[in-house]
Amino acid sequence: MTFVIGAACVDVMDRACVEECPVDCIYTGGRMAYIHPTECVDCGACEPVCPVEAIYLDDDIPAGQQQFVAENERFFTEPLPGRDIALGSPGSAAKLGAVGADTAFVEAYQS
């Protein structure tokens, strides 16, 4: 089980979760943030600081938002638009910096 970021984060990008994460596993795309599924240690520190309550355990994501579980993983495992290779496991969101791209689903997402 891991934490994922859902629909409420799209176009908000508050970054409180990024600052709170003790293992630096929350990466920022162009429209939302993403939690790396294998770098996350499931500590839950990010969840209470999210001002829009967009962070859930993957098994607890609200109905209608299940696609965001796959998108959080896809952000790291498949090449993002405009890139030739997947991000993989960079090991540090701060070191990598803002990615500036999202999965195709999130790019096209309309709330």
Side-chain angles (χ1 to χ4, degrees):
M1 211 180 296
T2 189
F3 284 87
V4 297
I5 298 176
C9 183
V10 176
D11 295 328
V12 173
M13 299 292 286
D14 172 76
R15 292 185 174 86
C17 60
V18 173
E19 295 169 17
E20 193 68 26
C21 180
V23 294
D24 196 25
C25 73
I26 304 175
Y27 295 77
T28 55
R31 295 184 68 197
M32 69 175 282
Y34 301 82
I35 297 175
H36 196 290
T38 59
E39 292 177 8
C40 178
V41 296
D42 300 333
C43 71
C46 57
E47 187 180 22
V49 299
C50 180
V52 294
E53 299 178 1
I55 301 174
Y56 307 92
L57 283 170
D58 58 359
D59 288 343
D60 295 335
I61 198 156
Q65 293 190 49
Q66 291 84 3
Q67 182 65 35
F68 283 91
V69 175
E71 298 308 314
N72 272 260
E73 184 172 351
R74 185 171 288 120
F75 183 78
F76 302 99
T77 60
E78 296 179 14
L80 296 168
R83 296 177 177 254
D84 295 330
I85 60 172
L87 290 175
S89 186
S92 170
K95 192 165 146 184
L96 180 66
V99 175
D102 293 288
T103 64
F105 173 83
V106 172
E107 280 189 351
Y109 185 76
Q110 301 291 318
S111 53

